Each structure stands twice: as structure tokens, then as C-alpha cells.
Amino acid sequence: MRRVVFLDRDGTINKDVGYIHQPAKVRLLPGAAQAIVSIREAGLAVVVVSNQSGIARGRFGLEDLLAVQAEVERQLQEAGAWLDGFYYCPHHPEGVVEPFAAVCGCRKPATGLLERAARELGLSLEGSFMVGDKRSDVACGYYAGLTSLLVTSGMPLEPAASPAEEPAHILPDLAAAAKWILGRWAGLEPLR
Ligand SMILES: [Mg+2]
Ligand SMILES: [Zn+2]
């Protein structure tokens, strides 16, 4: 079983422009692609887990989400960076579009996306990592038993509302987070 670094997408890999739904607006954050390359070269999987409540809220459709994701992956691949998986939550309890207007087990900080990815891709949650720009990403990793890192990506830091929202470390961007993980990873025992 491989360990994994789960990554939030918007605000962690690409610039968060708010309910992004146009491929033309996709801008990778500096160093993000190289960070993904270095994590995968170290033998960890990279899986993106993304809350996309814009679908439940009627801001955009599933095809828009997939078009944006395709563009994110196209830009990453141009820099040699490949993902092992992409999982998203289209739900929101206050949504207006059926059947997505619902309480679900996959909207971060719930751990459904991580568990599904681990099951489908044969990944170990134990000894794995979560990196995101929101406190909900940090808490998601905490609830799944991972080591969580918070990246600020140039935005003001939201205060933690609970111990679950306290990351192992706060870093400026994904490049710095990858470096931190790889330093930590070198000291981990291999999985049996
Ligand atoms: Mg984000
Ligand atoms: Zn969901």
C-alpha cells in the first residue's frame, strides 16, 4: 500500500477565484506543479480532494467542473505533474439543485472523499498527509488520522475554531509543504 498526500485544489494548486467554472481562469500557483512532481518521485501518491458546492448551489454544472479540472490537469502535465486521482463533493446542505442539496459524508471536513480514494486506489491513510488552504481541509485530515498542513497561499490566515483545525505546520505554499513532507517522509518506517 502506498501512502498518499491529499491535496485540496482551489487555493492550494491553482489560484482560488471563487466558484471557478471557466477553464480560461485556471492559473496554477507558483511551484505547485513541481511540488507534485517531487512528492510522486518520493513514492507517495497525490490525490486531489475538492469541495465543489457550486454544483449544489447552482453556480455551475458538473460539465463545468470537469472542464476546469481537465484544464488544471493539462497545465500540471505540461510541467510533468500527474495526479493519481481526483475526487470532489458536489453537495451542500443549503443547495438548491437536486440531488446535490443534501447533508453528505464527503464534504470536507467529513472524510468520505479520503476514504473512497483510499479504498479505490489502494492507499494507506495511516502515515499519510493532507494539505489545504482552509481550516476545513486541516480538520478533514485530522478526522481521517492524517498529518495536516495548512498553506496560506498569500491569503490571510483564518483562526482555528477547534483543536481539529490546528495543523501540524503552517506554510506559505504547496512547494514549502512538499518540502516539509519529504523531510518528514524520509524518517518514516516503510509500510508492510
Ligand atoms: Mg481551497
Ligand atoms: Zn458530498
Side-chain angles (χ1 to χ4, degrees):
M1 292 226 288
R2 271 197 303 169
R3 289 190 172 97
V4 52
V5 179
F6 288 105
L7 300 179
D8 167 56
R9 191 187 75 184
D10 304 331
T12 301
I13 296 173
N14 53 284
K15 196 170 161 54
D16 190 350
V17 298
Y19 298 109
I20 185 166
H21 64 284
Q22 293 144 304
K25 290 200 174 163
V26 172
R27 301 281 181 277
L28 296 187
L29 291 166
Q34 186 50 47
I36 291 169
V37 170
S38 66
I39 292 167
R40 292 187 81 240
E41 278 178 351
L44 293 109
V46 172
V47 174
V48 171
V49 287
S50 185
N51 281 355
Q52 293 291 331
S53 70
I55 292 177
R57 296 178 203 268
R59 299 287 198 105
F60 54 82
L62 190 52
E63 61 285 0
D64 302 306
L65 166 65
L66 297 178
V68 166
Q69 179 61 19
E71 177 60 16
V72 170
E73 292 188 27
R74 190 192 66 77
Q75 292 188 24
L76 287 174
Q77 286 163 14
E78 255 180 17
W82 296 75
L83 301 175
D84 292 283
F86 169 63
Y87 291 83
Y88 62 90
C89 166
H91 308 111
H92 196 277
E94 285 147 37
V96 292
V97 178
E98 294 299 339
F100 306 114
V103 176
C104 67
C106 59
R107 178 173 166 79
K108 297 176 288 182
T111 55
L113 296 181
L114 281 57
E115 282 151 15
R116 196 176 132 209
R119 195 168 59 239
E120 291 182 359
L121 305 175
L123 303 168
S124 166
L125 293 180
E126 191 191 333
S128 288
F129 302 86
M130 172 79 205
V131 183
D133 70 318
K134 291 284 192 305
R135 294 287 181 177
S136 54
D137 298 314
V138 171
C140 176
Y142 174 87
Y143 295 137
L146 311 183
T147 300
S148 293
L149 300 177
L150 183 64
V151 292
T152 53
S153 298
M155 300 298 284
L157 191 59
E158 324 160 42
S162 72
E165 293 187 353
E166 289 290 359
H169 212 70
I170 299 172
L171 295 146
D173 56 21
L174 181 54
K179 234 176 147 176
W180 190 95
I181 287 167
L182 296 181
R184 168 65 74 93
W185 165 245
L188 286 177
E189 294 294 319
L191 290 171
R192 275 169 297 167

